Amino acid sequence: MIITKVMMMRNNLVFDSFDDALKEYAKENKVPIILDEGLSFLINIIKVSKTKKILEIGSAIGYSAIEIVKNTDSYVDTIERNLDMYNEAKKNIALANLNDKINIYNVDALESFDLFKHKKYDLIFIDAAKAQYKKFFQEFEILLNDNGIIICDNMNFHNLVNGNLDDMSRSLRGLVRKLSEFEAWLLENDKYLSSIYDIGDGMSISIKKE
Ligand code: SAH
Ligand code: MG
């Protein structure tokens, strides 16, 4: 018997033709943008926490940053190391008329702390190289305001985390292991109240304790 799981849309986010074009571009070019379910979760967290200033690590084509500011009352600084992605994101942010709400930086997040050291954020969204999550977390957590929040995307990494390691290539295995290690480290880190949810591709939320 074949059991198919029907993935139903269980949110009522509204996408206009511009958003649809970004999603279509991402699909065609295999750019791993945030899933609708994850996006709606992120938007809700931003709204209930009254978050204003956000740092995103990993812009890709600017999709998540654009959707965040379109749907909430917030500002996003976003970091992208890949020049082609950066250019695409820059173009999309301008097309969306969001140059006043999104600042994008074409730098490697792990080599550019000085650019951000005088800033403060209510929320940091980590969505870049999956093997480096702990490094991103440790490098940027100091920029969080009191009661600040750190959210990480792709904690299930396409359902491979907790999957059978024998079936994976060496590099994939290494990456999945790193994500599992990060998850354990996060849950043991008593400076934050952390939970990991099977939302979208798996998302963690860590709220800084007083
Ligand atoms: N947040 C986007 C998707 C980001 S995909 C969205 O949901 O729409 C991950 C991106 O992180 C890729 O474009 C990759 O180039 C970038 N990236 C990976 N490691 C990075 C690093 N160390 N610094 C900056 N960007 C990085
Ligand atoms: Mg992601």
Side-chain angles (χ1 to χ4, degrees), residues 90-133:
K90 187 98 190 141
K91 183 190 79 187
N92 290 330
I93 293 161
L95 281 172
N97 276 318
L98 293 172
N99 283 328
D100 55 339
K101 294 209 157 181
I102 303 174
N103 287 311
I104 181 163
Y105 299 82
N106 181 212
V107 290
D108 187 312
L110 295 175
E111 293 166 7
S112 58
F113 181 74
D114 277 0
L115 275 178
F116 302 92
K117 67 181 177 199
H118 297 303
K119 299 185 180 237
K120 282 282 175 195
Y121 297 97
D122 305 312
L123 188 148
I124 299 174
F125 177 47
I126 300 177
D127 193 20
K130 310 307 159 202
Q132 313 284 337
Y133 271 18

Side-chain angles (χ1 to χ4, degrees), residues 26 31-35 39 42 56-67 78-83 85-86 105-112 125-130 132-133 136 153-154:
V31 181
I33 59 169
I34 192 166
L35 300 173
L39 177 64
L42 191 53
E56 174 182 69
I57 305 173
S59 338
I61 63 170
Y63 173 76
S64 48
I66 289 171
E67 295 309 322
T78 183
I79 308 176
E80 175 54 56
R81 71 175 171 193
N82 178 291
L83 183 61
M85 288 288 184
Y86 165 84
Y105 299 82
N106 181 212
V107 290
D108 187 312
L110 295 175
E111 293 166 7
S112 58
F125 177 47
I126 300 177
D127 193 20
K130 310 307 159 202
Q132 313 284 337
Y133 271 18
F136 296 133
D153 192 27
N154 308 98

Side-chain angles (χ1 to χ4, degrees):
M1 187 173 58
I2 299 169
I3 300 171
T4 47
K5 192 173 167 194
V6 180
M7 297 298 285
M8 287 206 305
M9 276 289 292
R10 299 170 78 190
N11 62 73
N12 61 355
L13 280 181
V14 178
F15 295 108
D16 63 19
S17 58
F18 179 77
D19 305 318
D20 287 338
L22 291 187
K23 289 167 94 170
E24 195 52 41
Y25 178 96
K27 201 169 168 188
E28 273 170 22
N29 294 280
K30 298 195 165 41
V31 181
I33 59 169
I34 192 166
L35 300 173
D36 290 353
E37 195 186 44
L39 177 64
S40 91
F41 181 67
L42 191 53
I43 288 168
N44 284 337
I45 297 284
I46 292 167
K47 282 181 174 278
V48 294
S49 60
K50 299 192 165 55
T51 281
K52 292 277 178 232
K53 298 233 181 298
I54 299 170
L55 175 68
E56 174 182 69
I57 305 173
S59 338
I61 63 170
Y63 173 76
S64 48
I66 289 171
E67 295 309 322
I68 287 168
V69 301
K70 274 171 101 167
N71 289 285
T72 65
D73 183 17
S74 63
Y75 295 85
V76 176
D77 282 346
T78 183
I79 308 176
E80 175 54 56
R81 71 175 171 193
N82 178 291
L83 183 61
D84 292 335
M85 288 288 184
Y86 165 84
N87 285 332
E88 194 61 32
K90 187 98 190 141
K91 183 190 79 187
N92 290 330
I93 293 161
L95 281 172
N97 276 318
L98 293 172
N99 283 328
D100 55 339
K101 294 209 157 181
I102 303 174
N103 287 311
I104 181 163
Y105 299 82
N106 181 212
V107 290
D108 187 312
L110 295 175
E111 293 166 7
S112 58
F113 181 74
D114 277 0
L115 275 178
F116 302 92
K117 67 181 177 199
H118 297 303
K119 299 185 180 237
K120 282 282 175 195
Y121 297 97
D122 305 312
L123 188 148
I124 299 174
F125 177 47
I126 300 177
D127 193 20
K130 310 307 159 202
Q132 313 284 337
Y133 271 18
K134 188 171 159 190
K135 285 190 186 154
F136 296 133
F137 194 110
Q138 290 180 314
E139 178 133 343
F140 289 100
E141 64 174 329
I142 192 157
L143 305 183
L144 266 191
N145 283 323
D146 290 348
N147 299 311
I149 302 170
I150 299 184
I151 296 189
C152 301
D153 192 27
N154 308 98
M155 292 295 289
N156 289 345
F157 202 62
H158 317 302
N159 291 322
L160 291 174
V161 172
N162 300 323
N164 185 351
L165 290 174
D166 297 339
D167 299 340
M168 298 174 201
S169 70
R170 258 179 86 93
S171 61
L172 196 57
R173 199 154 53 216
L175 199 154
V176 165
R177 209 167 256 148
K178 280 248 176 186
L179 264 179
S180 302
E181 279 164 22
F182 171 69
E183 175 171 321
W185 174 82
L186 195 59
L187 295 175
E188 277 167 18
N189 184 338
D190 58 14
K191 285 191 284 175
Y192 295 83
L193 184 66
S194 294
S195 305
I196 295 148
Y197 297 94
D198 287 331
I199 288 175
D201 191 28
M203 296 182 95
S204 66
I205 304 191
S206 304
I207 301 174
K208 199 167 135 186
K209 294 182 186 168
E210 297 278 316

